[in-house]
Each structure stands twice: as structure tokens, then as C-alpha cells.
């Protein structure tokens, strides 16, 4: 059953499910969101669907020995970070019961295991074998890989953290406010040199390169949709131009 209106302990007014036309910051987990959200029509208060209706307890297949509990604020006094994306935990969170507890943002907890679209199949992984097409590395930071979506063929891989950063930085630079097409970031492609060398610049080589970028764009679109929700027109325009250099 899909709820259209809810009440939430963190807010005094009724929250209505709407499709946000612009990016918003979730007042639960403090992460960015797009698409459907529960919004207060009286004041500027928004919640991801995952934050608005969390499960009291949860399980994740990457942590088979962990029993997660939902908290509006992580227990303890030290700073926490999400084991999926590496970003700080600043609000709603799922935390396991172990002494050295794992933490997951609600939206990261709910990430789909498999994404399929337009000839691309991606799997959520915590142990990737391919470099991320954005940062060019297997690790987000030294000693921390985080989660990635990787294609079945192994050619297309993006860190969840890198995709979050890509959209967030463009938002902060005003892309969504002004609708301009000047990209703040570039998408790296470690395999591009191999494609050029193997094809020698032939017409068939150009077709292979074109297909490579098209599939990378499809992969990126699927991942942005999985992380942030259904793309708005502004997000779709951003995706369309990310790989068009």
C-alpha cells in the first residue's frame, strides 16, 4: 500500500507525498534527494520515502552477521560514517548492534541489488574488480572501497559515493537553479585509451567508442535513479550532458 499522507514524530504537521521538481535536502538523514518525497505544505520540511517510513529493524546481505536498528540519531558520541558511501552520518541511520558497529544511511540501506535498463545490467557490490569510471580508482579513499555498481561485463563501474558527489557538486554550483549546461565535473574512462588503440581510429572503432559511452551513460542514469529516485527533468538533462564532451 502506497501512503499519500503521513504523520511523523520528527515534525508537527502532516506530510504529503509529492514529486519534487528540484533537489532537496532530507530533514531526516540530511542527504540530498530528488523525485518523490514526503513534504510539509506548511513549512520547508522534506523526507525521503525511506526516511519517512523506516523499518524498526533491518538486514543487509553485505553484513550477514549484523542486525540493524533504525535510529533518528546514531548512538554514541564519536563521529559516524556510512559504510556504503563513506559520507558522514548526520541524522537518521541504520546501525548494527556490534561493538564496532556498521552504519548505513536509510537510502543506502535500500539500494537495489540489481539494476537493468537498455542492455545494461548492474550489480551492487562491496568488492569490485573494476576501477570507477568517475574517480579512476577502486577505492574511495585509502583503505575504504565503499559500495559500487558494476556491470556484468566488468566495463562499467561507479562508486555510489562518486555518483553522489557528482550530482551534489553540480547542485552546489548552481546547475539545477539556472539550468546551464556547463559541467563542473568530468567522467573518467580508463578503458577509452584501450578502445582507441585497438581500433586505430577506424569507423568501426568510432562506433565501438560511441557504444561504450552510450552504455556508460545508461549505467550512470540507472545509478542516479537508484540513489536519488526518479530523475526530474533537470536531472535528466544533467545526465544527458555528462558524457557529451
Amino acid at each position: 500500500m502506497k501512503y499519500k499522507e503521513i504523520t511523523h514524530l520528527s515534525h508537527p504537521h502532516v506530510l504529503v507525498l509529492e514529486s519534487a521538481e528540484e533537489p532537496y535536502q532530507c530533514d531526516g538523514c540530511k542527504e540530498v534527494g530528488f523525485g518523490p518525497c514526503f513534504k510539509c505544505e506548511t513549512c520547508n520540511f522534506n523526507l525521503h520515502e525511506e526516511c519517512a517510513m523506516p523499518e524498526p529493524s533491518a538486514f543487509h546481505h553485505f553484513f550477514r552477521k549484523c542486525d540493524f536498528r533504525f535510529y533518528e540519531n546514531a548512538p554514541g558520541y564519536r563521529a559516524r560514517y556510512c559504510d556504503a558511501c563513506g559520507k558522514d552520518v548526520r541524522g537518521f541511520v541504520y546501525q548494527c548492534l556490534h561493538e564496532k558497529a556498521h552504519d548505513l544511511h536509510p537510502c543506502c540501506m535500500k539500494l537495489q541489488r540489481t539494476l537493468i535498463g537498455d542492455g545494461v545490467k548492474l550489480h551492487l557490490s562491496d568488492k569490485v574488480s573494476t576501477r570507477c569510471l568517475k574517480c579512476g580508482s577502486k577505492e574511495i579513499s585509502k583503505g575504504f572501497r565503499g559500495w559500487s555498481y558494476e556491470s556484468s561485463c566488468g566495463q562499467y563501474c561507479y562508486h555510489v559515493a562518486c555518483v553522489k558527489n557528482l550530482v551534489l557538486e553540480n547542485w552546489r554550483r548552481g546547475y539545477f537553479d539556472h539550468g546551464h549546461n556547463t559541467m563542473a565535473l568530468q567522467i573518467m574512462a580508463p578503458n577509452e585509451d584501450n578502445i582507441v588503440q585497438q581500433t586505430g581510429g577506424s569507423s568501426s572503432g568510432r562506433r565501438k567508442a560511441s557504444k561504450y559511452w552510450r552504455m556508460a551513460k545508461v549505467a550512470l542514469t540507472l545509478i542516479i535513479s537508484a540513489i536519488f529516485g526518479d530523475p526530474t527533468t533537470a536531472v535528466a538533462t544533467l545526465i544527458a550532458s555528462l558524457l557529451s564532451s
Side-chain angles (χ1 to χ4, degrees):
M1 180 177 178
K2 189 86 168 180
Y3 290 93
K4 299 294 184 181
E5 293 186 1
I6 64 168
T7 57
H8 199 276
L9 292 176
S10 64
H11 194 70
H13 305 135
V14 172
L15 303 178
V16 180
L17 183 62
E18 296 183 357
S19 182
E21 294 300 320
E22 296 180 353
Y24 63 89
Q25 184 181 63
C26 174
D27 289 283
C29 67
K30 313 302 181 186
E31 292 289 291
V32 175
F34 299 98
C37 73
F38 281 94
K39 183 179 183 66
C40 176
E41 296 185 342
T42 304
C43 53
N44 186 26
F45 184 89
N46 304 280
L47 288 177
H48 291 123
E49 290 185 86
E50 294 85 352
C51 291
M53 295 184 292
E55 300 173 11
S57 61
F59 167 82
H60 199 280
H61 66 287
F62 288 161
F63 304 97
R64 297 188 181 277
K65 296 181 179 180
C66 291
D67 186 9
F68 285 87
R69 295 286 188 271
F70 174 79
Y71 299 95
E72 291 196 3
N73 291 287
Y77 298 98
R78 70 179 181 87
R80 313 291 306 186
Y81 67 88
C82 176
D83 285 86
C85 67
K87 292 188 175 297
D88 292 340
V89 169
R90 298 180 294 151
F92 292 3
V93 64
Y94 285 96
Q95 186 180 102
C96 77
L97 303 179
H98 288 146
E99 183 178 352
K100 295 183 179 179
H102 296 287
D103 299 86
L104 293 173
H105 292 127
C107 290
C108 290
M109 169 66 83
K110 301 295 183 179
L111 285 174
Q112 299 174 59
R113 296 176 65 171
T114 303
L115 307 177
I116 302 174
D118 199 11
V120 176
K121 187 173 184 178
L122 302 167
H123 302 281
L124 185 65
S125 176
D126 61 344
K127 298 177 182 177
V128 297
S129 58
T130 307
R131 295 178 185 273
C132 171
L133 288 183
K134 179 182 178 295
C135 70
S137 174
K138 292 182 181 180
E139 295 184 335
I140 296 172
S141 58
K142 187 175 181 180
F144 180 74
R145 291 199 174 192
W147 295 359
S148 301
Y149 276 107
E150 185 175 17
S151 65
S152 300
C153 65
Q155 292 191 63
Y156 311 102
C157 176
Y158 291 100
H159 287 128
V160 169
C162 287
V163 175
K164 279 191 173 186
N165 288 338
L166 184 150
V167 175
L168 183 58
E169 289 184 28
N170 277 282
W171 178 36
R172 287 172 174 168
R173 293 176 185 234
Y175 176 86
F176 297 101
D177 293 333
H178 307 295
H180 59 73
N181 290 319
T182 302
M183 291 299 98
L185 305 173
Q186 292 183 341
I187 303 300
M188 300 176 64
N191 295 329
E192 184 181 18
D193 290 339
N194 293 335
I195 295 174
V196 173
Q197 291 173 6
Q198 292 170 7
T199 59
S202 64
S203 58
S204 62
R206 288 193 293 272
R207 286 195 297 272
K208 288 182 179 179
S210 176
K211 180 181 178 181
Y212 178 90
W213 286 110
R214 183 182 68 81
M215 300 294 272
K217 188 184 296 184
V218 170
L220 184 61
T221 303
L222 290 172
I223 298 168
I224 289 179
S225 298
I227 296 173
F228 295 105
D230 296 332
T232 62
T233 301
V235 179
T237 303
L238 170 64
I239 296 169
S241 56
L242 278 171
L243 300 177
S244 60
S245 58

